Amino acid sequence: MTGFGGGSKLEFNIVISSNVENFNLATFLNDNTNYNGSGLVTINITINSDITISSSGSFEPAFDTGTIGFATTGSVLNLINNGKIIGAGGAGGSVSDGGQNGLSIRGTDGKQAREGHDGGTALKTTMTTIIDNTNGNLLGGGGGASGVSDTIGGSGGGGGAGILPGSNGGQTGTQGTDGDPGSSTAGGAGGSGAHQAGNGGDPGENGTAGSAGNATAGGAAGLAGKFLEGNANTTFTANGTRLGNVS
């Protein structure tokens, strides 16, 4: 990393050359530079090829610019992505919740246990950002699939894809089967008991709902994670590979 500046504006050049989990730009600058958190700044970041920036959970962006002073001062982030930024996979819906057929509330998103959870965000921007994604991948995490409940056995939904893939949903009853967890490249298969539960989404794809059981219909599937959160702040000079939702 290099940093220099004249007058009232600093400039930092940063190369990311090793895999990183939960990269927060504001934290990085605070820990590694003399930036005061509020002055005008230009930040040039290059992510090398074969480098992956990932997340430890579907509620945490893989790359987050953070909320610091430069977000609204006219500063700019120039990002060249030659690697992969990928959100975490959403968990598959579970019906193994003490006989409640997946109707209990699970998680901070308020979803029922049987519902698939949304995939995680790849990149969140809170400042003016210009991205060259010619050789890069921006991938929202795959959505988790829903589980399906049945009088003779409920099956768990498959987990969504991500470097941290979504966990599988659990089963209940004599004919229920667990779903499979997702992998880094593909969603997990849903349990195939008396009724088929949904499959988890691949990177940037939605999960699928489970089929209706005899007692209780399958829950809603999780949505694909966002490849970008902060669209109003962000301009692409080259799109490259972008999979998932955007806001």
Side-chain angles (χ1 to χ4, degrees):
M1 181 187 69
T2 60
F4 54 91
S8 59
K9 190 168 186 178
L10 286 169
E11 183 168 350
F12 295 104
N13 296 314
I14 301 166
V15 176
I16 299 178
S17 56
S18 59
N19 295 339
V20 183
E21 188 175 78
N22 299 340
F23 181 80
N24 186 289
L25 180 57
T27 299
F28 179 88
L29 292 177
N30 181 70
D31 293 344
N32 296 280
T33 76
N34 61 348
Y35 180 60
N36 64 11
S38 61
L40 287 172
V41 65
T42 295
I43 305 162
N44 305 307
I45 296 180
T46 298
I47 300 171
N48 285 349
S49 60
D50 299 324
I51 296 304
T52 298
I53 299 178
S54 60
S55 174
S56 62
S58 59
F59 300 108
E60 182 83 17
F63 185 124
D64 190 348
T65 59
T67 304
I68 58 178
F70 64 65
T72 57
T73 62
S75 297
V76 63
L77 166 63
N78 297 304
L79 175 62
I80 300 174
N81 179 29
N82 296 314
K84 180 187 294 182
I85 305 175
I86 182 170
S94 178
V95 293
S96 57
D97 60 343
Q100 297 302 308
N101 292 326
L103 299 179
S104 62
I105 300 298
R106 180 186 71 175
T108 58
D109 57 4
K111 289 192 173 187
Q112 293 176 339
R114 65 177 180 164
E115 295 180 301
H117 290 254
D118 297 344
T121 295
L123 173 64
K124 180 179 179 180
T125 64
T126 59
M127 63 180 295
T128 299
T129 303
I130 301 171
I131 301 175
D132 179 351
N133 198 46
T134 301
N135 301 310
N137 293 268
L138 284 172
L139 309 174
S146 65
V148 55
S149 182
D150 190 88
T151 55
I152 56 176
S155 296
I163 297 300
L164 177 72
S167 58
N168 59 309
Q171 56 81 27
T172 187
T174 59
Q175 294 188 27
T177 59
D178 290 344
D180 293 332
S183 71
S184 62
T185 58
S192 56
H195 293 271
Q196 176 70 45
N199 297 325
D202 293 339
E205 295 184 0
N206 296 331
T208 58
S211 60
N214 293 335
T216 307
L223 298 176
K226 298 172 183 177
F227 71 82
L228 173 65
E229 184 177 341
N231 192 47
N233 309 315
T234 306
T235 301
F236 284 86
T237 61
N239 291 338
T241 300
R242 307 183 306 180
L243 297 176
N245 293 312
V246 62
S247 67

